Amino acid sequence: MALPLLPLNEVEFAFEELTEQCPDVLAPLFVYFDNYWMKQISLILWNVSDLKTRTNNNCEGWHNRFNRRV
């Protein structure tokens, strides 16, 4: 899901829309996501819509280069 990339005020609505349209086979994933990421963890902590760097690719690349040199 790309929920972390949406503006903060649109995340809950988008999740509800996705939940309504999800196939039955994915229902456990949506229940887990709702119970943990939507209710226990603040949206501000995992939403990256207003950040310049939205991924950890820079960090992963540094670790990869470091591991090769070591």
Side-chain angles (χ1 to χ4, degrees):
M1 285 186 269
L3 293 174
L5 302 173
L6 292 175
L8 194 57
N9 62 341
E10 296 178 18
V11 172
E12 290 184 36
F13 176 75
F15 181 72
E16 290 172 11
E17 291 290 314
L18 289 170
T19 302
E20 291 174 4
Q21 298 175 18
C22 87
D24 291 339
V25 70
L26 294 179
L29 172 65
F30 278 81
V31 169
Y32 157 76
F33 195 90
D34 185 38
N35 289 336
Y36 187 72
W37 292 104
M38 298 296 287
K39 294 179 179 166
Q40 291 185 26
I41 307 295
S42 174
L43 295 178
I44 295 170
L45 294 177
W46 56 268
N47 186 276
V48 296
S49 65
D50 58 347
L51 299 178
K52 182 179 178 185
T53 303
R54 297 179 181 181
T55 67
N56 67 346
N57 289 344
N58 293 337
C59 182
E60 293 290 337
W62 183 90
H63 282 161
N64 186 21
R65 288 187 303 277
F66 179 77
N67 284 331
R68 276 192 266 152
R69 289 179 183 168
V70 170

